Amino acid sequence: MKSKHIGELVLSTEQIQDGVIGIADVLNNDFESAVIISVVPGGILFTADLVRHLTFDIKMDYISCPHTPGDSNNSSEIVYHQNISIEGQDVIVIDDAIESGGTMKRLVQYLAENFAPKSVSIATLFVKPGRVDIPFQQFYAYEMENDDLLVGYGLPWQDKLRNVPYVSKLVK
């Protein structure tokens, strides 16, 4: 894909798939069944790749909280039209990345406090170093060295570039 906003490669398609498989292996060892809740739209690609490697019983649902990437003070409305009961279930919330972590913290607290799941965990391809503390178990493949703005594999720039199959630094 050609775009003046795609810069230096951070995670290749091969590294992404290695990360997906690594997370799937850990989840396969830790769970017998779970409700997968994808954070949309950013988590769609990672969720799709990840669930293909899960060997335990899953149910799937989705949640969203529109925000500006990197905004740790996101106060947007959480949109969760619960299609599957998560009461008493292990829940794994899946997103492409945890950048600041503010939105993810709000989402998992919202689910835990309002829907009585047995447990809530988080699975992402990568996390950034400046993220807020989220008191829930987290599974991730990579920890970024810095807080560079990134695009691709679900991460947007001005609501574009989510479909780039790798992760690159953003060129503004």
Side-chain angles (χ1 to χ4, degrees), residues 37-44 61-68 74-83 93-95 103-104 106-108 110-111 162:
I37 299 182
S38 184
V39 179
V40 297
I44 292 172
D61 214 339
Y62 62 94
I63 194 168
S64 69
C65 186
H67 72 289
T68 303
N74 178 11
S75 58
S76 299
E77 177 187 3
I78 293 173
V79 180
Y80 179 52
H81 303 288
Q82 185 183 26
N83 297 302
V93 178
I94 300 179
D95 203 357
T103 299
M104 180 60 76
R106 285 186 59 225
L107 291 176
V108 292
Y110 173 80
L111 293 170
R162 288 187 192 275

Side-chain angles (χ1 to χ4, degrees), residues 43-87:
I44 292 172
L45 297 177
F46 183 58
T47 301
D49 286 346
L50 182 62
V51 298
R52 290 184 186 112
H53 294 281
L54 298 180
T55 56
F56 54 89
D57 289 333
I58 65 167
K59 296 176 183 175
M60 293 181 69
D61 214 339
Y62 62 94
I63 194 168
S64 69
C65 186
H67 72 289
T68 303
D71 178 7
S72 60
N73 298 313
N74 178 11
S75 58
S76 299
E77 177 187 3
I78 293 173
V79 180
Y80 179 52
H81 303 288
Q82 185 183 26
N83 297 302
I84 297 167
S85 174
I86 63 172
E87 184 175 344

Side-chain angles (χ1 to χ4, degrees), residues 1 29 33 35-36 40-41 43 47 49 56 62 97-98 101 105 114 126 132 137 148 156 163 165 167:
M1 172 171 271
N29 286 326
S33 68
V35 177
I36 302 295
V40 297
T47 301
D49 286 346
F56 54 89
Y62 62 94
I98 294 179
K105 185 174 184 176
N114 295 291
F126 67 84
V132 299
Q137 185 168 19
D148 288 338
N163 61 322
V167 176

Side-chain angles (χ1 to χ4, degrees), residues 72 98-101 127-133 143-144 146-147:
S72 60
I98 294 179
E99 296 184 86
S100 69
V127 296
K128 287 189 170 180
R131 66 195 182 281
V132 299
D133 182 47
E143 185 165 2
M144 295 292 125
N146 56 52
D147 280 327

